[in-house]
Amino acid sequence: MDEHLVVIAGLALGTFAIRFGGYLLGARIPSSGPWARALQALPGCLIAALLAVILVQAGPAEWVAAAVSLAVAIASRNLPLTMLAGVGAVWLLRGLV
């Protein structure tokens, strides 16, 4: 029983340290300049990298769904609608193939 409490306390302390460290580092993030621009572009770069890996390993259904998502994104500029179209296209195409 004591081992479990030590593990739980250690994990709680680690979680608190990570969150508090993020808070401290977040206060030091620049709001302008090249680092700010790089950090603003980071989420899009990560999504593009993940999508590229998925598409390399994917089949025709996923490629068509990616094209549908791209068309919806260009036409609507609406992220939730794009995600819904992509998920719906994969669901439909996997059901057909």
Side-chain angles (χ1 to χ4, degrees), residues 29-80:
I29 293 176
S31 59
S32 63
W35 281 105
R37 287 192 305 275
L39 290 173
Q40 288 173 349
L42 188 60
C45 293
L46 292 174
I47 290 173
L50 290 172
L51 182 62
V53 170
I54 290 169
L55 286 177
V56 165
Q57 300 171 351
E62 289 81 8
W63 278 92
V64 172
V68 168
S69 297
L70 181 62
V72 170
I74 291 171
S76 70
R77 302 273 184 203
N78 185 336
L79 181 60

